Amino acid sequence: MLAMMISRSLARALWPLPTLLCAACSGPPLTPTVEANPVPEDPGPVVPDGAICAPPRLQAEPAALELTEPQAPLPCENEMAPSQHTPTRPLGIGYTSGDNPIPERTIYLTFDDGPSEWTNTFLDILANKGVKATFFVTAKQLKGPEGLDGTYVDPAGRTIAYRDLIKRIVDDGHVLANHTVNHPDLARITRAQMSGEIEQNELLVNRALVKTGALPRLLPLFRPPYGSPWYTGVAGMVPPRASERISSHGLNIMWNISSTDAADWAIDESYSPTATPTVAPGEPRPNFADKVARIKNAVLASPQFAAGAGIIVLMHDTHSATREALPDIIDGLAAANYAFETIDQYVEWRWQRPAIDLTPGPALYQACIAERNWGCASFGVPVGTDREREVCGRMWVGFQAFGGESALGVPLAAPVQNPDTGIISQAFERATLELHPENEAPCNVVAFQR
Ligand SMILES: [Zn+2]
């Protein structure tokens, strides 16, 4: 109770929002407790000492907020001051309409659906070849949304936790990205389910990372399972809906070459050394060697490769045939002077910003401004000219949730990531905001009084 009183007085001193305190958060009280509690199996969201977490987006009636006149929400059309700009936020790569440039003679290796019992051997190959890739992972592969404790026994008899594969992906310098928790077809689920799949995957992957001792990280890159609805031709009216929903969480990342590795299971191909794939009786299956050759040719015999064009190739670290094809694919690309880059590098190349700046984050932001139109706000200078005067992407979610310029003041610096904690912070005139990607919204954004 004392903690609650202290936290309320702290919040009251900080913000004129007494009805939107951290009661909205599922985390522990805002003030530190002196009890030495045992560490729970899954600690859940943690709000740092001295901080308050972001209240929900200001949706309550103004009267309930007890806002004074200057702090009252502005009408929609005036929400952004004339000196602020909201450039169009990109939707991502590979929508069926629109321009999707890829730098020439550049290859982006992408692996979906992992981690699996093969992932370590994929990482061995990439390390041996000295190239980086992008992994779109699913939390269900960590074996259960609750425990994240799944293990397997490798051929050497070692017990490997799936979550340690996630950590190795990060430690080896690859990019970790979001592929939903349960791998549903987005064209066949509701918008709310779609949001849950994306948000929960980011949260669970981060909880798994934290369990390994690794730093949490945001997953602003998203790939829809099956490429659906864009690459599956499902329901003509669905793509705009899915596009809007995905763009409120991150950048949608498609591909321009499919390795075809997930189209079938070859004879003697397996999901893992200890399990065999489910294949319908009588289903035609290629020979293993034929499938390996097919995967290689999908890249090395493609018109894009022949032309020296940029390539984003879809592969899966869940197929052993892909693993067998990978060294020759890398060698063939390297021999043709292809540069190996990650999707993070693509985003920097195409939009001159890190992916985190181009995505709104896990907390849905209900602004009057269409979500796709609020990539960054710039204060007093044209957008894109002074990073230290901007609030972008996910930090913008927190900024708005805490009351915006009237409560926090203008930005004083660009966001910085603490190399020891992984926490991203940005200083404003009257407070510092922090992003904690391992926490659930709204506690993924916290504020400290300056
Ligand atoms: Zn997939």
Side-chain angles (χ1 to χ4, degrees):
M1 187 60 199
L2 179 61
M4 181 175 291
M5 289 173 63
I6 293 171
S7 69
R8 280 177 182 268
S9 61
L10 168 68
R12 197 169 282 129
L14 277 173
W15 325 106
L17 304 172
T19 59
L20 290 176
L21 296 180
C22 204
C25 303
S26 55
L30 298 175
T31 49
T33 58
V34 294
E35 302 163 43
N37 293 323
V39 177
E41 171 64 15
D42 190 347
V46 175
V47 179
D49 296 348
I52 64 172
C53 87
R57 172 62 191 158
L58 304 177
Q59 293 173 322
E61 295 76 10
L65 297 175
E66 300 175 12
L67 294 173
T68 58
E69 187 59 28
Q71 295 163 324
L74 295 168
C76 286
E77 58 270 27
N78 295 327
E79 180 134 339
M80 301 300 290
S83 63
Q84 301 170 11
H85 304 271
T86 52
T88 299
R89 186 158 51 81
L91 295 174
I93 307 166
Y95 283 84
T96 48
S97 62
D99 185 26
N100 288 285
I102 305 175
E104 286 183 6
R105 219 164 277 280
T106 306
I107 175 72
Y108 302 87
L109 302 173
T110 69
F111 298 97
D112 290 10
D113 295 3
S116 82
E117 292 179 42
W118 296 126
T119 300
N120 259 335
T121 55
F122 278 76
L123 292 169
D124 289 344
I125 293 168
L126 295 171
N128 182 260
K129 300 291 185 184
V131 301
K132 305 301 181 195
T134 304
F135 288 81
F136 293 87
V137 300
T138 65
K140 75 178 170 60
Q141 292 297 103
L142 302 170
K143 305 306 173 191
E146 299 303 324
L148 304 172
D149 291 333
T151 62
Y152 68 93
V153 178
D154 75 2
R158 297 172 299 187
T159 298
I160 307 288
Y162 287 94
R163 62 171 180 259
D164 288 335
L165 304 176
I166 299 282
K167 181 176 187 296
R168 185 180 169 193
I169 289 171
V170 172
D171 288 347
D172 283 7
H174 305 293
V175 170
L176 200 58
N178 195 335
H179 197 44
T180 73
V181 177
N182 295 300
H183 207 270
D185 180 344
L186 300 187
R188 302 179 192 284
I189 61 176
T190 66
R191 288 186 181 207
Q193 288 170 328
M194 200 186 299
S195 289
E197 283 284 346
I198 300 171
E199 287 181 23
Q200 283 299 306
N201 199 52
E202 181 170 60
L203 180 68
L204 292 169
V205 168
N206 271 294
R207 287 193 175 166
L209 275 176
V210 169
K211 273 192 170 190
T212 69
L215 300 175
R217 58 186 50 230
L218 299 169
L219 306 181
L221 304 175
F222 176 77
R223 176 167 285 163
Y226 317 105
S228 178
W230 292 277
Y231 285 1
T232 55
V234 174
M237 291 305 293
V238 170
R241 187 186 73 180
S243 161
E244 174 192 336
R245 182 59 40 173
I246 292 169
S247 74
S248 64
H249 296 281
L251 290 167
N252 187 76
I253 307 299
M254 307 296 269
W255 57 89
N256 67 340
I257 288 182
S258 168
S259 69
T260 76
D261 60 349
D264 49 29
W265 290 97
I267 297 166
D268 297 329
E269 187 181 23
S270 64
Y271 169 75
S272 78
T274 55
T276 53
T278 303
V279 179
E283 185 175 299
R285 304 177 66 183
N287 291 321
F288 188 84
D290 289 345
K291 179 170 178 180
V292 171
R294 187 187 76 200
I295 292 169
K296 290 180 191 175
N297 285 336
V299 179
L300 300 179
S302 68
Q304 292 96 327
F305 178 74
I311 297 171
I312 299 173
V313 59
L314 167 69
M315 295 187 282
H316 297 79
D317 53 321
T318 53
H319 279 256
S320 48
T322 311
R323 185 188 60 172
E324 295 307 304
L326 185 58
D328 284 352
I329 290 175
I330 292 173
D331 289 347
L333 289 159
N337 293 318
Y338 266 77
F340 291 80
E341 297 203 342
T342 64
I343 300 296
D344 267 0
Q345 290 171 297
Y346 177 90
V347 171
E348 290 271 9
W349 170 80
R350 183 164 171 190
W351 292 292
Q352 295 83 50
R353 288 178 183 279
I356 184 179
D357 277 4
L358 297 169
T359 60
L364 286 182
Y365 171 64
Q366 304 292 334
C368 303
I369 305 166
E371 287 180 354
R372 68 186 58 189
N373 291 332
W374 54 271
C376 293
S378 189
F379 292 77
V381 294
V383 74
T385 62
D386 185 352
R387 187 65 185 82
E388 299 197 347
R389 303 296 300 275
E390 291 181 338
V391 185
C392 294
R394 292 164 195 247
M395 196 60 83
W396 178 251
V397 175
F399 183 78
Q400 287 295 88
F402 277 108
E405 186 176 355
S406 62
L408 304 178
V410 302
L412 300 177
V416 292
Q417 184 164 30
N418 184 316
D420 297 323
T421 65
I423 294 168
I424 298 166
S425 62
Q426 185 169 16
F428 298 86
E429 284 178 311
R430 291 187 284 280
T432 295
L433 293 190
E434 288 186 354
L435 285 175
H436 292 243
E438 78 280 18
N439 284 353
E440 267 182 277
C443 286
N444 57 341
V445 183
V446 298
F448 295 88
Q449 190 174 25
R450 289 179 64 83

